[in-house]
Structure formats: structure tokens, C-alpha cells
Amino acid sequence: MSEMSPKEFKHILVGVDDSDDAQLAFRYAINRAKSDGAKLTIVSILEQDNMNVYEAMSKDFVHGQRKDLEEHVMQYQKLARDFGVTDVNAVVDEGDPGETIVKTVIPALKPDLLVIGSVAKHGVRKYFGSQAAYMAKHAPISVLVIR
């Protein structure tokens, strides 16, 4: 072990929403992508359990919600480009965030690092958010949880 250097990542996936911890994760991810010269993919998941049953059944409502989320994620993409990350993509999907990222997004995009925030909650969850815990346990790639 004469020479050790930190691992450089080639493709970083960052999960975003508007929580403070996700903002921290995003800031870390753009810094890391820029320093490593890595591709950055920004992902946000439309959670249908935040909708009532009538909203979830309305294709117009779901389409409108998804369109709003896609526009919002494009703002993150612009921020990353303005910061100097040259290869930036944005992805929006629907479902349970942890499961969708682990079972759909990661296999499709093949990143080598997932950066996520962990929302502080009550009890055991205040130490490690349930979505973050799920992704850390089940993701087939390195996971960095930002708090």
C-alpha cells in the first residue's frame, strides 16, 4: 500500500427533492462530479402515495404533476452545468423512491455511485431515513448518504 488515492467515480447518480438533506446531497454530487470529471445524473421520483385516490386515477393530474417535476429537475440540471459539470442528465420516474431508484434507475443507467440525503425523523428513523436505509442496503453500487 505504498500509494493510495481516493476512488474516482465515472457516473454519479443523485436523488433530489426539495428537502434540505437532498440539497446537501446535490451540492456534494456536483462538486464530486466536477472534481472527478464524472457524468452526473439527477433523479427525482414522483411519489403517487402523496396523491389522493382521485388524483392518482386522473391521468391529467398525474401528467401535470410529472411535467412540473420534470421542469423542476431541469433547474437542477442547469445549476450543475452552470457550476461546471459538463455531462449532466436528468431523469424523472414514478413510484416508491427507494425501490424505483434501486430496481429501475440504477440497472438502466449503470452509475457507480449513488448520492442521497437522509431526512431526519423521529425514533430510529431520525438516525437514518427509511428511503436512504433501503437504498443503502439494497443498491448494487456504492452509496453515499449525506446528512
Side-chain angles (χ1 to χ4, degrees):
M1 294 201 314
S2 61
E3 190 177 316
M4 290 184 64
S5 62
K7 180 175 181 175
E8 286 189 0
F9 294 98
K10 303 291 183 219
H11 185 183
I12 299 169
L13 178 66
V14 61
V16 297
D17 56 26
D18 286 330
S19 64
D20 291 340
D21 58 302
Q23 300 298 312
L24 290 172
F26 175 72
R27 286 195 294 265
Y28 178 86
I30 63 174
N31 274 296
R32 185 69 193 245
K34 185 176 179 181
S35 68
D36 285 3
K39 176 179 183 175
L40 177 67
T41 300
I42 304 160
V43 63
S44 193
I45 307 298
L46 178 62
E47 294 180 75
Q48 293 179 337
D49 51 333
N50 286 343
M51 301 175 207
N52 69 43
V53 68
Y54 301 107
E55 293 169 337
M57 289 172 46
S58 167
K59 288 187 190 328
D60 290 337
F61 182 82
V62 172
H63 178 72
Q65 290 289 312
R66 185 179 177 113
K67 186 175 184 308
D68 290 346
L69 184 58
E70 287 170 350
E71 289 172 1
H72 192 60
V73 171
M74 296 304 282
Q75 293 173 353
Y76 282 103
Q77 186 177 25
K78 182 182 180 325
L79 286 170
R81 284 192 177 130
D82 290 349
F83 184 71
V85 182
T86 56
D87 192 356
V88 186
N89 297 308
V91 173
V92 171
D93 209 335
E94 297 173 24
D96 175 84
E99 283 189 29
T100 303
I101 289 171
V102 168
K103 295 179 179 178
T104 305
V105 177
I106 290 173
L109 301 178
K110 300 184 181 7
D112 50 5
L113 175 65
L114 171 62
V115 180
I116 51 174
S118 178
V119 177
K121 298 189 180 184
H122 303 294
V124 173
R125 287 186 179 178
K126 83 175 180 181
Y127 300 108
F128 207 46
S130 60
Q131 295 295 334
Y134 178 87
M135 290 184 272
K137 181 175 181 181
H138 297 285
I141 60 174
S142 295
V143 178
L144 179 60
V145 180
I146 302 293
R147 292 197 50 96

